[in-house]
């Protein structure tokens, strides 16, 4: 092939980083305060409250009222990040569409960067997107806990009694008490490898 | 590497070194310069790799400055490309070109401008799409989670028909000199037709337009805090409106007052949240019979004039949580 026939690559040579901004976790949740961040997607508040109630049944935990973002399709305003900074950990819900998944990941990374351990809840249909984004934004290993899709067309009691499972709550405890290295082993490539 | 794949499903022009160099020769920008980091992967892309994608899309070298400017415009924070590319909503960056470069490089703003038939229109938008797929990872099922998508996602680029407009074109309205060339990107759905062959007053035509625009089910109905409803008037509709001495400001005011949805229509639909009334936020506390505008203020409406003969206009529903961005385009020699 002559030089003039060389075919160039349309994909960039650089890619996302492997570094992680995951913050250290406590060894136990006893005595911890946990903030609940909803992006106002339907049932996300019921989901968070139910997880919070479950956590309170297994540890001495103070759980916040639900804090709502103004819209799911953008980042949370800075004052919400500041408000959530008072807690020992944050649970955020949820990704059940494309843009809301993206911005939920963004919020979680902002919180991790400020030293707040965070767990993202995401519908099983959007975990691939969430992990693709977290791994490309310096946060491989970000705990992304999946739930059954769809969730917007079920009643709040179904969310509380069926969608928030014991397994999900156990996973949250693990995600908030494991060290970043363990989380990276557990979540790195967990969903993207399924593509 | 002997050939490249087609990410959008259409055949591509193979990006040879010679072809890419022809594109780079038309800009003063260095090939190794970084244009930006493309979400949702946030992978950095250079001018040269952007040119590779523009070659693949079928652009001519003189189209490349428009591609570069449109890409940079879409990367500005207020555009929310992170949300636009990933969303389940069927939106995508759409491009409107103003100023002398449109005619110079053959961007159509007249008959069938939004349709097939013009190389510049077809390929400039496609070049952006290829960049978003190849660099941003906006690939269906992974970084692009559109439920249906839409034909505009192959690429959408038109010129404003400035000659046929009775008003200042979009770029002049936004502070640019008429002799400057600009590109404006919108996070928009495919346009929807507004047919009015009968009305002979501004109020008549714009009532038809407002009725087309104000529907529960569009993202704008809920995300109106930032949303920019975009009305593309045909030259004939614009002429009828201007004949009554209406300015573009008058048009926007009328649309703001009339493109409205009764509050009760929002209840339990769209993004309504039974806990607090949900979206749009400015509708909370309103009585059921009160009318909710689809934008936060008259100034948020965007009015352009594009198209040829005929009494059809177009409405571009928006993603809602995105603001259009206008930037200058480097001239081509």
């Amino acid at each position: 092939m002559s030089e003039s026939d060389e075919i160039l690559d349309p994909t960039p040579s650089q890619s996302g980083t492997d570094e992680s901004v995951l913050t250290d976790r406590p060894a136990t949740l006893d005595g911890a305060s946990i903030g609940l961040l909803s992006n106002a997607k339907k049932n996300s508040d019921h989901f968070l409250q139910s997880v919070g109630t479950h956590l309170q049944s297994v540890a001495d935990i103070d759980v916040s009222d639900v804090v709502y973002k103004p819209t799911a399709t953008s980042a949370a305003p800075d004052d919400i990040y500041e408000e959530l900074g008072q807690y020992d950990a944050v649970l955020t819900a949820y990704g059940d569409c494309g843009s809301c998944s993206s911005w939920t990941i963004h919020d979680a990374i902002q919180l991790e960067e400020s030293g707040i351990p965070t767990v993202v809840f995401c519908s099983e249909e959007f975990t691939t997107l969430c992990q693709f984004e977290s791994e490309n934004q310096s946060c491989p290993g970000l705990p992304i806990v999946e739930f059954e899709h769809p969730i917007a067309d079920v009643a709040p009691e179904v969310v509380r009694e069926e969608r928030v499972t014991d397994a999900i709550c156990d996973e949250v405890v693990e995600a908030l008490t494991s060290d970043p290295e363990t989380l990276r082993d557990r979540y790195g490539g967990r969903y993207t490898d399924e593509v | 590497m002997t050939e490249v794949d087609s990410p959008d499903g259409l055949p591509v022009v193979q990006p040879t070194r010679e072809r890419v160099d022809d594109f780079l020769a038309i800009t003063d920008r260095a090939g190794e310069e970084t244009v930006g980091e493309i979400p949702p992967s946030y992978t950095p892309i250079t001018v040269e790799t952007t040119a590779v994608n523009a070659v693949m899309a079928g652009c001519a070298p003189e189209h490349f400055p428009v591609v570069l400017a449109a890409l940079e415009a879409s990367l500005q924070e207020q555009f929310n490309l992170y949300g636009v590319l990933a969303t389940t909503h069927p939106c995508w960056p759409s491009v409107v070109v103003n100023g002398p470069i449109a005619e110079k490089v053959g961007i159509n703003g007249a008959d069938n401008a939004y349709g097939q038939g013009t190389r510049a229109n077809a390929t400039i938008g496609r070049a952006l799409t290829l960049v978003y797929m190849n660099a941003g990872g906006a690939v269906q099922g992974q970084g692009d989670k559109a439920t249906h998508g839409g034909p505009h996602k192959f690429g959408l680029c038109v010129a404003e028909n400035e000659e046929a407009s009775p008003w200042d074109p979009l770029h002049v309205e936004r502070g640019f000199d008429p002799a400057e060339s600009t590109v404006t990107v919108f996070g928009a759905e495919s346009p929807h037709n507004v047919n009015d062959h009968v009305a002979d007053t501004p109020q008549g035509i714009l009532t038809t337009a407002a009725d087309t625009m104000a529907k529960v089910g569009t993202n704008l109905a809920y995300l109106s805090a930032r949303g920019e409803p975009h009305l593309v008037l045909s030259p004939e509709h614009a002429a009828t409106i201007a004949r009554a001495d209406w300015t573009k400001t008058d048009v926007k005011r009328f649309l703001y007052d009339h493109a409205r949805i009764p509050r009760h229509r929002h209840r339990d639909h769209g993004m309504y949240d039974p806990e607090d009334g949900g979206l749009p936020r400015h509708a909370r506390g309103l009585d059921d019979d009160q009318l909710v505008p689809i934008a936060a203020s008259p100034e948020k409406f965007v009015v352009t004039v594009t198209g040829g003969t005929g009494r059809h206009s177009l409405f571009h529903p928006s993603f809602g949580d995105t603001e259009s961005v206008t930037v200058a385009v480097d001239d081509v020699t």
Side-chain angles (χ1 to χ4, degrees):
Chain A
M1 179 180 283
S2 70
E3 191 176 335
S4 63
D5 290 328
E6 178 194 0
I7 303 293
L8 303 188
D9 187 350
T11 59
S13 53
Q14 295 183 55
S15 59
T17 176
D18 284 336
E19 293 170 14
S20 176
V21 297
L22 275 190
T23 192
D24 289 333
R25 268 72 174 148
T28 172
L29 290 181
D30 272 328
S33 63
I34 294 183
L36 305 179
L37 172 60
S38 162
N39 59 3
K41 295 303 295 282
K42 188 179 176 188
N43 284 329
S44 59
D45 45 5
H46 300 299
F47 190 98
L48 287 166
Q49 286 164 337
S50 180
V51 174
T53 300
H54 188 283
L55 295 182
Q56 286 179 309
S57 73
V58 297
D60 175 23
I61 294 173
D62 183 29
V63 176
S64 80
D65 291 336
V66 175
V67 176
Y68 291 90
K69 285 170 67 170
T71 60
T73 46
S74 281
D78 287 344
D79 59 348
I80 285 186
Y81 294 141
E82 284 170 25
E83 180 180 351
L84 293 169
Q86 68 182 295
Y87 299 106
D88 298 314
V90 167
L91 311 180
T92 182
Y94 36 55
D96 79 330
C97 70
S99 55
C100 66
S101 297
S102 295
W103 286 109
T104 298
I105 292 297
H106 174 90
D107 292 335
I109 293 172
Q110 303 311 300
L111 291 165
E112 290 282 350
E113 283 185 337
S114 65
I116 310 294
T118 302
V119 169
V120 172
F121 294 108
C122 180
S123 129
E124 60 198 349
E125 293 294 329
F126 294 91
T127 47
T128 304
L129 172 69
C130 282
Q131 190 157 62
F132 174 71
E133 294 176 339
S134 63
E135 290 184 356
N136 279 286
Q137 292 177 65
S138 307
C139 215
L142 180 70
I144 298 164
V145 176
E146 67 179 353
F147 57 80
E148 183 184 341
H149 184 89
I151 199 167
D153 63 346
V154 302
E157 52 268 25
V158 173
V159 174
R160 287 191 290 265
E161 293 163 15
E162 297 178 23
R163 296 306 182 84
V164 177
T165 63
D166 289 346
I168 283 175
C169 295
D170 291 346
E171 192 176 345
V172 170
V173 173
E174 285 288 314
L176 291 179
T177 55
S178 299
D179 60 74
E181 215 167 286
T182 302
L183 291 176
R184 192 160 165 166
D185 289 343
R186 189 173 296 154
Y187 288 97
R190 177 172 182 165
Y191 306 111
T192 46
D193 284 352
E194 294 172 3
V195 175
Chain B
M1 190 170 197
T2 55
E3 63 179 53
V4 293
D5 292 331
S6 163
D8 68 352
L10 294 171
V12 296
V13 175
Q14 291 300 308
T16 60
R17 165 54 66 194
E18 193 175 351
R19 288 173 177 145
V20 171
D21 283 347
D22 286 346
F23 278 53
L24 295 175
I26 208 159
T27 174
D28 293 334
R29 310 279 293 274
E32 63 271 21
E33 183 186 330
T34 298
V35 181
E37 297 181 350
I38 319 291
S41 73
Y42 286 98
T43 304
I45 186 171
T46 62
V47 171
E48 177 171 294
T49 305
T50 306
V52 172
N53 283 276
V55 169
M56 288 170 60
C59 287
E62 62 267 26
H63 302 148
F64 186 47
V66 183
V67 174
L68 265 182
L71 178 58
E72 289 183 319
S74 72
L75 292 174
Q76 290 195 19
E77 188 177 352
Q78 66 265 38
F79 188 73
N80 190 5
L81 188 62
Y82 187 41
V84 166
L85 296 186
T87 179
T88 40
H89 178 259
C91 67
W92 203 245
S94 75
V95 177
V96 173
V97 180
N98 280 102
I101 201 167
E103 185 177 353
K104 193 181 264 184
V105 306
I107 303 168
N108 183 13
D111 298 285
N112 204 37
Y114 281 81
Q116 81 291 3
T118 308
R119 179 182 179 184
N121 296 40
T123 62
I124 292 171
R126 187 186 181 203
L128 286 179
T129 293
L130 296 186
V131 168
Y132 298 138
M133 296 184 81
N134 278 326
V139 176
Q140 61 266 35
Q142 189 172 354
D144 176 346
K145 294 295 288 183
T147 306
H148 302 94
H152 57 303
K153 293 180 69 173
F154 285 100
L156 200 164
C157 173
V158 299
E160 185 166 8
N161 194 339
E162 296 178 25
E163 268 188 31
S165 173
W167 305 298
D168 281 344
L170 181 63
H171 68 315
V172 174
E173 197 184 339
R174 293 186 170 186
F176 292 87
D177 187 271
E180 283 184 281
S181 294
T182 67
V183 62
T184 304
V185 288
F186 296 88
E189 294 178 30
S190 277
H192 184 87
N193 188 54
V194 181
N195 178 344
D196 197 323
H197 278 70
V198 172
D200 57 3
T201 63
Q203 294 90 338
I205 290 169
L206 294 174
T207 297
T208 305
D211 286 348
T212 309
M213 298 163 83
K215 298 293 180 194
V216 171
T218 69
N219 268 32
L220 278 170
Y222 326 118
L223 300 174
S224 40
R226 298 176 70 205
E228 296 173 329
H230 180 186
L231 180 64
V232 184
L233 288 168
S234 67
E236 289 188 29
H237 277 165
T240 301
I241 294 166
R243 191 174 61 209
D245 291 331
W246 278 40
T247 65
K248 212 190 280 191
T249 302
D250 296 328
V251 173
K252 294 180 180 190
R253 180 83 227 178
F254 188 94
L255 293 172
Y256 177 73
D257 289 342
H258 293 84
R260 295 189 175 214
I261 299 167
R263 178 59 175 149
H264 67 84
R265 294 290 310 280
H266 282 280
R267 190 173 303 285
D268 296 324
H269 293 282
M271 297 179 82
Y272 187 86
D273 181 341
E275 292 295 311
D276 70 351
L279 300 168
R281 295 292 179 210
H282 58 69
R284 279 189 288 188
L286 293 184
D287 294 337
D288 269 6
D289 290 338
Q290 286 184 279
L291 298 171
V292 184
I294 63 167
S297 68
E299 294 74 28
K300 298 292 280 186
F301 284 81
V302 177
V303 178
T304 55
V305 176
T306 288
T309 306
R311 298 189 68 79
H312 296 266
S313 288
L314 297 174
F315 168 52
H316 260 302
S318 154
F319 175 52
D321 206 356
T322 176
E323 289 171 316
S324 61
V325 177
T326 303
V327 301
V329 182
D330 294 338
D331 203 359
V332 291
T333 52

